[in-house]
Amino acid sequence: MKTKFTKQTEISRKWYVVDASDLIVGRLATKLAKVLVGKHKATYTPHVDNGDYVVVVNADKVRFTGNKWEDKKYHRVTQRAGMMKTRTAKEMLVKRPTEILRLAVWGMLNKTHLSRRQLMKLKLYTGAQHPHHAQKIEQLNLN
């Protein structure tokens, strides 16, 4: 019996929308990463990008459990010596609210050229509106 691998020409992609209001960041990120990679499909192939597009609205209304708003740190390194900048999750919510969820999803993907293409299929928006109405968007069931 031969193993069937999905070819790039056989891939069909869907568009999903998720409302991130009052959802926990880590639990939401695992489900989004699974859809972006394509593990929710029966035709999952590890070396082919067969995941779907995900549009997340209200990405600024996510929440953390515990004291992570003050305790969780986001580090960023500039190109100058000794210039590591650190922000808490609360500061990150004020400065770049969509970056919290993007970094959480990025942490759940493999660090390859394939995952960089998969992360580009994640569209994050702070409000309830998004410009992707032309695609046939379905509501993603997170249960």
Side-chain angles (χ1 to χ4, degrees):
M1 178 175 213
K2 290 188 176 183
T3 303
K4 173 82 168 104
F5 288 115
T6 305
K7 296 183 180 117
Q8 197 70 28
T9 57
E10 300 171 352
I11 296 172
S12 63
R13 299 191 197 281
K14 290 185 177 179
W15 283 74
Y16 293 106
V17 66
V18 176
D19 186 10
S21 298
D22 293 326
L23 293 178
I24 299 170
V25 172
R27 293 171 193 226
L28 176 61
T30 56
K31 293 172 183 173
L32 293 179
K34 187 176 179 181
V35 173
L36 290 173
V37 171
K39 285 193 172 184
H40 67 291
K41 294 182 178 181
T43 60
Y44 168 69
T45 306
H47 64 278
V48 176
D49 181 16
N50 62 347
D52 294 327
Y53 288 88
V54 179
V55 177
V56 180
V57 294
N58 294 323
D60 56 338
K61 294 186 173 93
V62 294
R63 65 183 179 98
F64 283 108
T65 57
N67 288 333
K68 290 191 188 97
W69 285 115
E70 289 84 22
D71 295 342
K72 183 160 182 59
K73 307 272 191 239
Y74 291 96
H75 303 289
R76 182 172 61 90
V77 180
T78 64
Q79 296 300 318
R80 304 188 76 149
M83 292 302 224
M84 185 168 84
K85 308 226 176 186
T86 304
R87 287 185 183 157
T88 63
K90 190 175 277 189
E91 292 169 352
M92 187 72 95
L93 183 69
V94 173
K95 296 268 187 182
R96 299 178 76 184
T98 59
E99 201 69 13
I100 292 173
L101 197 54
R102 191 188 71 78
L103 288 173
V105 172
W106 171 248
M108 312 235 172
L109 298 175
N110 291 330
K111 307 307 181 278
T112 61
H113 68 284
L114 190 62
S115 65
R116 287 186 270 283
R117 284 194 309 227
Q118 291 166 347
L119 192 65
M120 285 194 292
K121 293 184 296 189
L122 178 66
K123 313 293 183 186
L124 299 168
Y125 298 101
T126 54
Q129 300 296 322
H130 60 84
H132 304 286
H133 296 291
Q135 289 76 15
K136 297 174 184 171
I137 296 186
E138 302 174 13
Q139 188 73 24
L140 182 63
N141 187 9
L142 296 177
N143 294 334

